[in-house]
Amino acid sequence: MAEYEKIAKTGDIPSGEVRSFALGSEMVAVCNVDGRFYAFRDECTHQAYPLSDGMLEGRKLTCIYHGAEFDVETGEALCLPATDAVETYDVKVEGDDIYVLIED
Ligand code: FES
């Protein structure tokens, strides 16, 4: 059964920013939207560049490489050139620790 794994401290990710963290063999992007944290695979579904390089506006993350946009809560691709959703992970915060749940 998958378990939550600690990935970062809340202070590592300022509001309105996204950061990338290694978790096992996975690169996981975590962003802070007004104090709420969201996590997703750090790989654009268009050409697999890191989404953590992108620009965050509210829950919308824009990939800087070709302009695809994603909803960081649902993973939904909001515009071309991406058509597939990015995989998202459940997040919980305990104290100032951020945990993510990655299913196998
Ligand atoms: S790699 Fe993200 S839009 Fe192309």
Side-chain angles (χ1 to χ4, degrees), residues 47-64:
Q47 287 187 352
Y49 287 100
L51 283 173
S52 56
D53 290 343
M55 305 275 294
L56 190 64
E57 290 175 81
R59 279 176 28 197
K60 184 180 78 177
L61 181 79
T62 304
C63 178
I64 61 165

Side-chain angles (χ1 to χ4, degrees), residues 18-21 25-30 39-54 61-66 68-72 75-77 82-89:
V18 56
R19 298 283 189 268
S20 187
F21 302 92
S25 59
E26 193 87 19
M27 292 307 291
V28 176
V30 183
F40 47 92
R41 184 189 293 264
D42 190 13
E43 187 177 291
C44 185
T45 60
H46 176 229
Q47 287 187 352
Y49 287 100
L51 283 173
S52 56
D53 290 343
L61 181 79
T62 304
C63 178
I64 61 165
Y65 295 98
H66 314 101
E69 297 172 353
F70 297 89
D71 181 320
V72 296
E76 179 186 1
T83 55
D84 294 330
V86 66
E87 186 175 2
T88 58
Y89 308 117

